[in-house]
Amino acid sequence: MNVNTLKYYFRESTRSVLRNSWLSVASVGTIIISLLILGSSLLLVLNVRHIVSTVESSLEITVFLEDGLDEEALKRMEEEIKFVPGVARVEFVTKEQALEDLKESFGDKADILSGLEKDNPLPNSFRIKTSEAEMVPRAARQLEKLEGVEQVRYGQGVVEKLLSLTHWVRIWGSLTLVVLGAAAVFLIATTIRMSVFARRREIGIMKMLGATNFFVRMPFMLEGMMLGLAGGLVAALIIYFGYLSLLNKVAVTLPFIQLVNDPQTLYRVLGGLLGLGFGIGAVGSAISLHRFLRV
Amino acid sequence: MIQLYNVSKIYPNGVKALNDVTLHIKKGEFVFLVGPSGAGKSTLTKLICREELPSRGQVLVNGRNVARMKNRDVPHLRRKIGMVFQDFRLIPNKTVYENVAFALEVTGASSKEIKKVVPTVLRMVGLEKKAGMLPAHLSGGEQQRTSVARAIVNNPVLLLADEPTGNLDPETSWELMKLFLDINRRGTTIVMATHAWDIVDSMKKRVVALSNGCIIRDEEGGVYGYEC
Ligand SMILES: Nc1ncnc2c1ncn2[C@@H]1O[C@H](COP(=O)(O)OP(=O)(O)OP(=O)(O)O)[C@@H](O)[C@H]1O
Ligand SMILES: [Mg+2]
């Protein structure tokens, strides 16, 4: 393949894009919207996971114990807890220690708690660290079943809420993505079909002049790929700059929240969007050429 | 070069355009196809370049059976054949120059080669001054000569010309025939369907006469006519 042929492919495909300008805009628009949805739900899921794993307390479970357990029972429990899946570390906290911690958290208003030492209402407890945030709810349920456990507390439901949010985002995100992705493929296919139709006479002449199928198809294939790539590029840029400004805003107003901001993850997301846009374009035109250009 | 064995062509609408035609054309020959309108001349040329497939019988070009040819070999067959279509088939939004260049472009020629060859060919058919014009702004004869230029631009081994002088004045017709003779002398086989009896009569080439889809006469150095 020489330079002239490549020039021909690009010239013809650009011409087609311009000729079908409205359809081209519509298909690029659909690609942009579906990729925006994909990109933002992906970032949301990534961030929730990131936050959940960085917020220290989200990994913690507190197991409150019944009163009057002897040394031996406590030892046995600690062993049993270590065997619960997901448990990484176990620490025993006496009721005295718990009261101290509570006082500390009250700071200068700790006086309210004075007098409690005599008849300490706080129970003994185990403080448990899990290896992953996702493990917390299941581990907690298992811990509840142990003998001598009074109550199990963790993350005040925040972990579960965040995780169920990502769960729904995943489901709805993929659902809309599939629907919109299909629409995008369909629109690309229609655009290419119109291009083929507009040039059917020319295609016939090309065939008679000895053009190969590859040569005939390439400009149309390229047209779809260009539309897809354009959609991917616009979506990636919007996501990129949108996310940057979000990072800035969060850093100012909610400085304690750590969002995903390592460049490698971001570039991987953006590259994925670009690649997917390209893929949608290629698949759309391939479908169309397969159906309407049996040369 | 070309062999047809008991070839019949029935179009999907039931018209029988060719009926049991057997014909051999050797490399380097110059053959006129004559016959009344609707006799099957265009159909015969279309079978040779595989625009149509025979309903019965075998068509061999360069020793290869066109009906059994693989799809991806067809382009290579057509690149060896230059075709002048009765209806010109020029691309309306391309200029004369671009139309001729296109025949080279589809074969993957370099722009250097195109720039070298196309002007020469346009000069050969007398269209160098019209190179930048669109087909719609040309006279019928000029469009026809564009079509001829496109057919000969990549040095075909076989030139199939379907009434290439149909829209030309006698003088331009003769110019074109001189060009064809020249190409033929350099080794290109030519098959030309025509109604131009004066040209056929004075060129003294092989004449194949068709009528109602049958070959009714085939003689070397023949004259125009299709009555038996
Ligand atoms: N695509 C087609 N579909 C159906 N019938 C066709 C088709 N092409 C040609 N025919 C019929 O086949 C017959 C032969 O047509 P053809 O074009 O080969 O004649 P021709 O000898 O070239 O005539 P002319 O001198 O007018 O060009 C005619 O009766 C025509 O109606
Ligand atoms: Mg004809």
Side-chain angles (χ1 to χ4, degrees):
Chain A
M1 198 183 301
N2 63 40
V3 189
N4 194 47
T5 310
L6 279 179
K7 263 198 273 177
Y8 165 83
Y9 290 153
F10 277 101
R11 197 176 60 226
E12 292 304 313
S13 42
T14 345
R15 260 186 211 165
S16 264
V17 169
L18 297 178
R19 180 163 36 207
N20 293 324
S21 47
W22 278 112
L23 257 176
S24 302
V25 167
S27 36
V28 171
T30 323
I31 294 177
I32 293 174
I33 293 171
S34 28
L35 292 183
L36 281 181
I37 289 176
L38 174 71
S40 35
S41 24
L42 201 63
L43 282 173
L44 185 65
V45 169
L46 283 176
N47 270 306
V48 166
R49 277 167 56 158
H50 184 68
I51 290 168
V52 163
S53 66
T54 48
V55 173
E56 197 57 13
S57 66
S58 67
L59 290 166
E60 205 172 87
I61 305 174
T62 311
V63 175
F64 296 107
L65 303 175
E66 289 166 0
D67 277 336
L69 293 169
D70 57 22
E71 194 93 346
E72 203 181 318
L74 290 175
K75 269 253 147 44
R76 208 177 48 240
M77 279 188 86
E78 189 168 345
E79 287 309 308
E80 281 179 77
I81 289 170
K82 277 182 182 159
F83 274 103
V84 171
V87 170
R89 211 143 35 84
V90 186
E91 189 194 349
F92 182 65
V93 182
T94 61
K95 44 170 54 183
E96 290 77 25
Q97 179 65 43
L99 191 60
E100 282 304 308
D101 289 353
L102 195 63
K103 273 184 179 166
E104 212 165 285
S105 70
F106 273 70
D108 44 0
K109 290 194 203 79
D111 311 347
I112 330 171
L113 299 171
S114 64
L116 284 179
E117 286 92 344
K118 275 174 273 153
D119 192 13
N120 188 345
L122 297 174
N124 290 322
S125 62
F126 281 113
R127 229 175 255 162
I128 294 159
K129 283 252 187 323
T130 54
S131 49
E132 276 167 69
E134 276 95 341
M135 302 295 247
V136 169
R138 201 169 343 129
R141 271 198 300 280
Q142 286 216 19
L143 291 168
E144 268 170 350
K145 290 187 203 127
L146 294 180
E147 210 170 311
V149 169
E150 198 178 76
Q151 201 187 15
V152 174
R153 292 269 288 281
Y154 62 91
Q156 276 85 26
V158 173
V159 171
E160 270 179 326
K161 271 184 203 136
L162 278 177
L163 290 179
S164 85
L165 174 68
T166 61
H167 179 70
W168 287 109
V169 165
R170 266 184 217 167
I171 290 182
W172 285 104
S174 10
L175 218 69
T176 36
L177 184 73
V178 166
V179 172
L180 275 171
V185 169
F186 175 77
L187 266 171
I188 289 275
T190 311
T191 313
I192 301 305
R193 183 184 167 183
M194 298 298 280
S195 302
V196 171
F197 190 72
R199 298 182 53 198
R200 63 196 182 289
R201 234 181 86 84
E202 198 174 330
I203 290 170
I205 296 171
M206 286 163 79
K207 300 292 301 171
M208 291 317 293
L209 293 177
T212 57
N213 287 346
F214 185 84
F215 186 90
V216 173
R217 287 178 165 201
M218 202 51 198
F220 297 112
M221 205 61 207
L222 215 57
E223 183 183 350
M225 289 171 176
M226 272 159 63
L227 294 176
L229 210 57
L233 193 68
V234 173
L237 286 177
I238 293 177
I239 291 275
Y240 181 67
F241 288 111
Y243 193 68
L244 281 191
S245 81
L246 181 76
L247 282 182
N248 280 335
K249 278 208 190 95
V250 167
V252 173
T253 56
L254 306 164
F256 48 89
I257 291 185
Q258 274 290 313
L259 293 182
V260 176
N261 64 355
D262 73 297
Q264 208 178 338
T265 313
L266 277 185
Y267 290 145
R268 216 175 282 160
V269 170
L270 298 180
L273 295 182
L274 211 58
L276 205 65
F278 183 78
I280 289 175
V283 169
S285 37
I287 289 174
S288 201
L289 292 182
H290 182 70
R291 290 191 52 196
F292 303 107
L293 193 61
R294 287 180 188 277
V295 282
Chain B
M1 178 97 228
I2 304 169
Q3 286 120 335
L4 280 80
Y5 295 102
N6 307 100
V7 171
S8 296
K9 175 67 191 176
I10 302 161
Y11 281 109
N13 62 0
V15 175
K16 195 162 194 175
L18 285 178
N19 188 8
D20 202 28
V21 169
T22 297
L23 176 68
H24 295 234
I25 295 171
K26 286 196 285 292
K27 189 164 162 43
E29 269 194 284
F30 195 133
V31 180
F32 285 116
L33 280 179
V34 301
S37 190
K41 305 183 293 296
S42 296
T43 304
L44 190 62
T45 60
K46 284 174 186 171
L47 287 174
I48 295 170
C49 65
R50 203 183 185 270
E51 191 181 345
E52 297 284 351
L53 289 172
S55 311
R56 227 170 288 132
Q58 314 293 331
V59 178
L60 276 70
V61 178
N62 250 341
R64 305 204 49 192
N65 189 326
V66 295
R68 282 208 233 115
M69 191 175 266
K70 285 199 203 87
N71 270 335
R72 67 182 150 85
D73 291 333
V74 176
H76 300 285
L77 169 78
R78 290 185 181 151
R79 286 177 194 185
K80 296 202 186 85
I81 304 177
M83 270 169 291
V84 183
F85 303 100
Q86 197 167 7
D87 49 358
F88 314 144
R89 298 200 200 170
L90 300 174
I91 296 168
N93 55 357
K94 286 191 195 296
T95 63
V96 169
Y97 182 94
E98 288 166 344
N99 262 287
V100 176
F102 196 49
L104 289 172
E105 221 161 23
V106 302
T107 64
S110 68
S111 49
K112 202 172 125 201
E113 193 186 339
I114 292 174
K115 284 199 191 94
K116 202 179 73 188
V117 180
V118 176
T120 319
V121 174
L122 286 179
R123 208 170 314 119
M124 283 158 89
V125 296
L127 280 180
E128 67 271 35
K129 292 208 181 69
K130 312 272 176 175
M133 288 174 71
L134 291 172
H137 302 155
L138 297 176
S139 72
E142 286 162 348
Q143 291 182 37
Q144 195 150 37
R145 280 181 282 154
T146 309
S147 169
V148 171
R150 187 180 61 186
I152 62 176
V153 74
N154 49 13
N155 271 322
V157 286
L158 170 64
L159 182 63
L160 292 176
D162 199 350
E163 296 190 35
T165 60
N167 289 279
L168 301 182
D169 59 84
E171 200 178 326
T172 322
S173 297
W174 278 110
E175 293 283 312
L176 194 64
M177 287 313 14
K178 272 188 221 146
L179 178 61
F180 275 25
L181 274 176
D182 205 38
I183 294 168
N184 180 238
R185 227 172 279 133
R186 279 190 255 144
T188 298
T189 311
I190 297 183
V191 178
M192 172 171 155
T194 187
H195 293 296
W197 57 270
D198 51 332
I199 288 177
V200 176
D201 285 355
S202 52
M203 298 247 307
K204 303 272 191 300
K205 297 290 185 186
R206 180 176 170 193
V207 178
V208 174
L210 281 168
S211 181
N212 277 327
C214 300
I215 294 182
I216 52 167
R217 191 162 55 84
D218 181 354
E219 35 181 52
E220 210 54 61
V223 290
Y224 192 82
Y226 35 80
E227 287 84 34
C228 302

